[in-house]
Amino acid sequence: MLGLGLTLLPAAARAEGDLPGLAALETRGAATAGLVVDLERQRVLAARGADRALIPASTVKLATASLALQTWGPAHRFTTAVLRRGPLEDGVLRGDLVLRGGGDASLTAPDFWRLALDLAQRGLRRVEGDLVVDESLFGRLACTIEDRCEAEAASAHAFDAPLTSTPVDYNTLALTLVAGAQPGEAARLIPQPFVPPFLPPGLAIEGGVATAAGPARLTLERTSAGGIDRLRIAGQLPPGETLTLYRSLGEPALHAGRLFHAFLAQAGVAVAGAVRVEYLPVAPAEPLLDHQGAELARALDLMLGYSNNLLADTLALNLLGALRPGSAPDLPAAGALLGEYLAGAAAGSAFPAPPATPPPLLRDGSGLDPSARLSPRQLVQLLERDYRQAATFPTLVGALIVPAHGPQRSLPAPPGGQGAAAWDERLMVKSGGLSEPVSVTSLAGYFRFADGGWGAFAFLVNGAPGHPIARGEAFSAMRRDLTAYWTR
């Protein structure tokens, strides 16, 4: 009987500390926390510091996606409007053309080209006033995250793009490099999506790239001052190679206006005045046409698949506006709203926290702010709640990364070995990572048992100051710990 009883004892009976991979990282000074649960049988399979609040990085995007789906549903679209201020007669607008942002972070340059072409096809030939970018939805947002504050002046990255009501191409600029056929030739530098001679006056490219044998070695920094974005590039590219680099913009609302201006010119619509940005509602203005952005389901695919910070924080600001009408647009307030939503997921959870557990602390919707604090239990409670939402769960889980098919293959399974195929094919996850003020690697999501049932988990690893834990090492520890629970 004793042997039979031990055989039937569920994995849930395992004690705190059943995550040896995380435990090994703690011997190197890291702070770790993890929780693995069986959602169908409502059992804890393993836990280590499940209520320890650590920096969650981009796993915060799970809360943003969840609340967006519950608020709007997967088919929701955001609207960008084009309006006129002044009479329109015989194809001539005797006043300003207004581009009013609707917080649609799925906007791309082709969308702007379609808008310009639609205006031309409707007979607009000339605008005698200015092209005005109406940023009144979010207004002039205060800078609250160090990376974005620094990016207003200079950046060598794309993840730190400032937020606007009229984002386009995730508020980044692309530079395509086309190497020559032979060493010694200069590479062509092509700013995207502009086609000469329709280049905006606020863009300058300095430096050059040589065609040379050997690996690509490149540096690209964007600086912004006085309404001018300067791309400073140097390095080399192998013969025949083409590469596109992306950098965030210092004044993205102004860039959006200049991009639209360039496309209007290409479509045959002349604008006599200047491109300018206004942060208060432009009135009076009459509608000309609207652009409906991508469905929310597609936006979440991009946000979770590529861990897009601009998409996440723009959604968070939109959620604040929708759920707290009259609130001033503010990213920390939007983060607090998401924190309240996370805290609400604890109600009715099969995995309750001990009394007096601190509530979630969030200051944005992306996880870019390192002051955020979440526990594995809080993330698992959110995943549990979403799992029980029949109308929206398919959209959410479909937007998560399956390691075998992830767009960046950032979570590859180890070659062969126990659990390799399961890791590659049975996970649906969101990862996260930061390098400052300490190294952060996080992973949370769902997994499928061998019998097809559903589990959920969350792992957080924060390195000690001056003692980072490499991302690959953290994922290896997580793989080791999760492998024990594939079979049920």
Side-chain angles (χ1 to χ4, degrees):
M1 287 294 295
L2 181 60
L4 180 62
L6 287 174
T7 301
L8 295 179
L9 191 66
R14 294 172 181 168
E16 171 87 4
D18 264 357
L19 299 172
L22 295 187
L25 295 179
E26 291 191 1
T27 65
R28 297 171 51 192
T32 74
L35 179 63
V36 184
V37 306
D38 182 330
L39 288 171
E40 294 170 323
R41 299 180 183 179
Q42 301 184 352
R43 304 298 297 269
V44 172
L45 302 180
R48 183 177 187 84
D51 297 292
R52 181 179 297 163
L54 298 176
I55 303 172
S58 282
T59 53
V60 168
K61 293 181 175 74
L62 290 168
T64 307
S66 176
L67 184 53
L69 282 171
Q70 296 308 311
T71 301
W72 295 305
H76 181 77
R77 299 172 185 263
F78 295 98
T79 300
T80 302
V82 179
L83 309 98
R84 62 179 174 87
R85 187 161 60 175
L88 177 58
E89 300 170 353
D90 298 324
V92 178
L93 173 57
R94 305 188 189 284
D96 297 330
L97 188 67
V98 180
L99 180 67
R100 177 169 291 167
D104 178 15
S106 72
L107 273 173
T108 63
D111 295 326
F112 271 24
W113 167 241
R114 183 73 256 175
L115 278 170
L117 196 60
D118 284 349
L119 287 169
Q121 289 173 340
R122 295 183 184 202
L124 183 63
R125 295 182 293 103
R126 179 175 173 81
V127 177
E128 293 192 339
D130 294 337
L131 175 57
V132 181
V133 181
D134 183 338
E135 282 284 298
S136 60
L137 180 66
F138 297 157
R140 195 186 295 272
L141 288 164
C143 173
T144 59
I145 298 175
E146 183 177 355
D147 287 328
R148 285 201 178 110
C149 295
E150 294 175 350
E152 291 179 358
S155 177
H157 309 285
F159 71 84
D160 52 6
L163 303 173
T164 60
S165 307
T166 318
V168 60
D169 290 333
Y170 315 116
N171 285 347
T172 62
L173 185 67
L175 184 66
T176 295
L177 318 175
V178 182
Q182 302 296 329
E185 296 180 7
R188 287 191 295 139
L189 310 179
I190 307 169
Q192 302 285 357
F194 303 104
V195 178
F198 299 101
L199 297 180
L203 176 62
I205 301 174
E206 301 174 353
V209 173
T211 302
R217 292 197 297 270
L218 299 164
T219 61
L220 177 61
E221 183 183 36
R222 185 271 306 157
T223 61
S224 300
I228 304 295
D229 288 316
R230 298 182 185 278
L231 292 175
R232 294 189 173 97
I233 187 161
Q236 67 178 47
L237 202 60
E241 187 165 331
T242 298
L243 183 66
T244 300
L245 302 176
Y246 298 85
R247 294 295 180 265
S248 62
L249 289 156
E251 298 184 62
L254 184 59
H255 170 81
R258 287 169 170 166
L259 176 61
F260 192 38
H261 184 280
F263 284 155
L264 286 167
Q266 284 181 267
V269 180
V271 178
V275 176
R276 56 189 175 88
V277 178
E278 292 192 11
Y279 293 94
L280 297 176
V282 177
E286 298 294 327
L288 285 174
L289 57 87
D290 290 341
H291 171 77
Q292 301 294 315
E295 289 188 344
L296 179 61
R298 175 56 180 156
L300 296 184
D301 284 344
L302 296 169
M303 182 185 84
L304 297 176
Y306 292 94
S307 202
N308 190 289
N309 294 319
L310 184 111
L311 264 168
D313 285 333
T314 303
L315 274 178
L317 288 167
N318 280 315
L319 284 166
L320 181 66
L323 300 177
R324 298 284 190 272
S327 299
D330 176 73
L331 193 56
L337 174 66
L338 290 166
E340 293 173 20
Y341 177 68
L342 265 167
S349 173
F351 314 105
T357 298
L361 173 62
L362 298 182
R363 287 178 53 82
D364 65 9
S366 64
L368 190 58
D369 192 319
S371 65
R373 295 293 183 274
L374 289 180
S375 72
R377 190 183 309 275
Q378 288 162 344
L379 284 166
V380 165
Q381 287 172 338
L382 174 71
L383 293 165
E384 175 196 12
R385 177 175 178 169
D386 286 325
Y387 170 71
R388 306 197 185 285
Q389 301 297 317
T392 55
F393 179 66
T395 300
L396 177 68
V397 76
L400 296 174
I401 291 298
V402 176
H405 307 294
Q408 298 170 312
R409 288 291 290 164
S410 58
L411 293 166
Q418 184 182 15
W423 175 272
D424 238 6
E425 299 171 2
R426 293 195 208 160
L427 261 63
M428 293 133 282
V429 295
K430 178 71 194 81
S431 64
L434 292 173
S435 58
E436 298 292 341
V438 297
S439 66
V440 177
T441 303
S442 56
L443 191 68
Y446 302 97
F447 66 94
R448 303 298 296 271
F449 293 103
D451 65 3
W454 288 85
F457 72 95
F459 294 138
L460 303 175
V461 175
N462 289 187
H467 298 280
I469 300 295
R471 194 167 171 81
E473 292 180 86
F475 283 142
S476 292
M478 296 172 187
R479 282 193 294 259
R480 173 186 174 187
D481 286 345
L482 202 55
T483 294
Y485 304 101
W486 295 131
T487 302
R488 185 176 68 172

